[in-house]
Amino acid sequence: MRTASVTRDTLETKIQVSVNLDGQGHGKFATGVPFLEHMLDQIARHGMIDMDISCDGDIHIDDHHTVEDIGITLGKAITEALGDKKGMTRYGHSYVPLDEALSRVVIDFSGRPGLVMEVPFTQKRIGNFDTELFFEFFQGFVNHALVTVHIDCLRGHNAHHQVETVFKAFGRALRMALTPDPRMAGTMPSTKGVL
């Protein structure tokens, strides 16, 4: 079983993340940030990753630390659960539409952190949630999962649709990249021999 539990404890947040990369797509969330939980559920469901995430964060100030630190801790948990990366597909990509919105996410478990995110949000806020914080979530994830991710919202005028297509596509790209490739069994998916 490719599973991991990671704790992150700072003066700003106390976070516990558990993942099962070979799960059924079940998510359990207690973060104090409902819209983020809705998006995390998209990752779990479309990535077929069981996720249990709890966070006690300083949301009385704002959501920034909670959102960023959950991205950091989730990245660490997925990397730990993945292990030595032998036999994995490594690359993943997905296009996801939702009504007028369409997003593309491409991921590489390269061992090199890099994020390119082109999402021209049409609104600064979705309800009480600041859309700028999605960049912080993905930057935290990328830096600590040691992956390269390209995120593009190709079209869309409803900000909720824009971000939901991004998270669904991210979940599906993760699923593809994390899936074991039977033809690569026991082999590192890199000409370098390491990732």
Side-chain angles (χ1 to χ4, degrees):
M1 293 285 283
R2 298 183 299 167
T3 61
S5 291
V6 175
T7 300
R8 178 178 169 86
D9 194 348
T10 73
L11 295 176
E12 298 166 340
T13 59
K14 294 177 181 20
I15 299 174
Q16 175 71 42
V17 172
S18 297
V19 297
N20 176 356
L21 303 185
D22 302 305
Q24 300 298 310
H26 301 303
K28 191 162 85 171
F29 309 106
T31 69
V33 185
F35 192 73
L36 177 64
E37 293 178 10
H38 179 43
M39 294 303 109
L40 292 170
D41 197 36
Q42 304 305 324
I43 298 174
R45 187 75 47 92
H46 293 278
M48 292 300 289
I49 300 169
D50 291 344
M51 297 169 44
D52 188 343
I53 300 176
S54 62
C55 178
D56 180 14
D58 57 359
I59 56 175
H60 60 284
I61 296 172
D62 70 8
D63 295 339
H64 187 113
H65 298 137
T66 293
V67 174
E68 179 180 25
D69 289 3
I70 287 172
I72 288 170
T73 313
L74 179 60
K76 286 182 176 180
I78 287 178
T79 295
E80 185 177 314
L82 188 55
D84 65 10
K85 301 182 183 177
K86 287 182 179 176
M88 73 178 298
T89 300
R90 175 179 168 179
Y91 299 99
H93 60 87
S94 181
Y95 285 81
V96 170
L98 175 57
D99 297 342
E100 87 299 342
L102 175 66
S103 291
R104 173 185 60 217
V105 175
V106 183
I107 189 166
D108 175 14
F109 276 80
S110 60
R112 295 182 306 278
L115 175 64
V116 177
M117 184 170 171
E118 297 292 335
V119 182
F121 285 114
T122 57
Q123 296 176 14
K124 179 161 176 46
R125 302 189 81 76
I126 301 171
N128 293 323
F129 193 89
D130 183 348
T131 54
E132 290 180 356
L133 295 182
F134 287 118
F135 179 86
E136 304 303 328
F137 171 85
F138 285 111
Q139 188 68 72
F141 179 88
V142 159
N143 286 345
H144 293 270
L146 300 177
V147 297
T148 299
V149 177
H150 287 251
I151 300 171
D152 295 283
C153 182
L154 303 174
R155 62 182 58 91
H157 57 76
N158 180 299
H160 189 136
H161 292 172
Q162 288 178 299
V163 73
E164 191 162 332
T165 58
V166 164
F167 274 82
K168 286 177 176 176
F170 180 68
R172 292 208 161 249
L174 272 178
R175 180 177 173 181
M176 180 186 289
L178 294 171
T179 297
D181 180 345
R183 295 182 65 199
M184 293 289 292
T187 304
M188 187 64 70
S190 170
T191 55
K192 294 187 186 77
V194 295
L195 284 174

